[in-house]
Amino acid sequence: MPTQPGGRVDPLVSVSFYVDVQGVFTGTFRSCTGLGSQSEIVEHLAAGKGGTTHIYKIPGVCKWTNICLKRGVTDSMDVWTWRKQVEEGNVNEARKNGSIIMYDQTNTEVARWNFENGWPAKISGPNLDASTNDIAIEELEIAHEKLVREK
């Protein structure tokens, strides 16, 4: 990403991104949320000199947020077939690594998040309403064990 005059760096535009799940599907989606992690906060209370107390906040277990992807419905059954593995009890087969890749206006990769051991925790079909012209949207939620921003 080029630095602007005066050292300013413009933020990335989130309009162009691509999803690649190892051997399951690749493609574009309308939206992606859940690229993050959080730590539980463990409070440790300690008594100090003169009867004072101190509360120390210590990081506990680290958790990764589920990734939620939305896209327009097509004739592709890729995410539904993947989810069916979990429904049939084949979770180990369903676990895949994947990437969410972000591009700039020149179609150059500018950011990448890689997840490990992801599996489809939830899939939702579209809300169908014949009285609107809305695009039919399906939603996929991916549970995973680790997320790293590589770029």
Side-chain angles (χ1 to χ4, degrees):
M1 173 179 358
T3 302
Q4 304 298 322
R8 185 184 93 197
V9 177
D10 287 336
L12 301 174
V13 178
S14 67
V15 71
S16 183
F17 64 95
Y18 192 78
V19 180
D20 182 359
V21 177
Q22 162 196 31
V24 176
F25 66 87
T26 60
T28 57
F29 282 78
R30 178 180 187 151
S31 70
C32 175
T33 60
L35 299 176
S37 69
Q38 66 184 39
S39 295
E40 289 183 9
I41 300 169
V42 178
E43 291 188 355
H44 175 70
L45 183 63
K49 186 175 181 180
T52 60
T53 57
H54 300 281
I55 299 175
Y56 298 98
K57 294 191 178 190
I58 303 165
V61 175
C62 183
K63 297 184 204 175
W64 284 270
T65 312
N66 289 350
I67 298 168
C68 185
L69 300 167
K70 294 180 183 179
R71 71 176 180 185
V73 175
T74 67
D75 61 355
S76 175
M77 295 291 293
D78 51 7
V79 295
W80 293 88
T81 302
W82 189 29
R83 172 67 189 153
K84 189 170 182 164
Q85 288 181 307
V86 175
E87 292 168 352
E88 293 175 346
N90 300 320
V91 179
N92 286 336
E93 277 182 42
R95 291 182 190 276
K96 303 291 181 190
N97 297 333
S99 299
I100 289 66
I101 308 149
M102 194 171 163
Y103 297 93
D104 67 9
Q105 293 86 342
T106 65
N107 208 29
T108 302
E109 182 178 322
V110 291
R112 175 184 289 262
W113 292 265
N114 294 330
F115 63 86
E116 296 177 8
N117 294 319
W119 54 275
K122 178 181 177 183
I123 192 164
S124 300
N127 295 323
L128 302 174
D129 184 350
S131 68
T132 70
N133 278 335
D134 293 341
I135 299 291
I137 301 296
E138 62 187 1
E139 185 175 331
L140 173 68
E141 186 174 323
I142 302 172
H144 56 91
E145 296 174 357
K146 186 174 185 179
L147 179 77
V148 176
R149 181 170 175 188
E150 295 290 331
K151 186 173 189 179

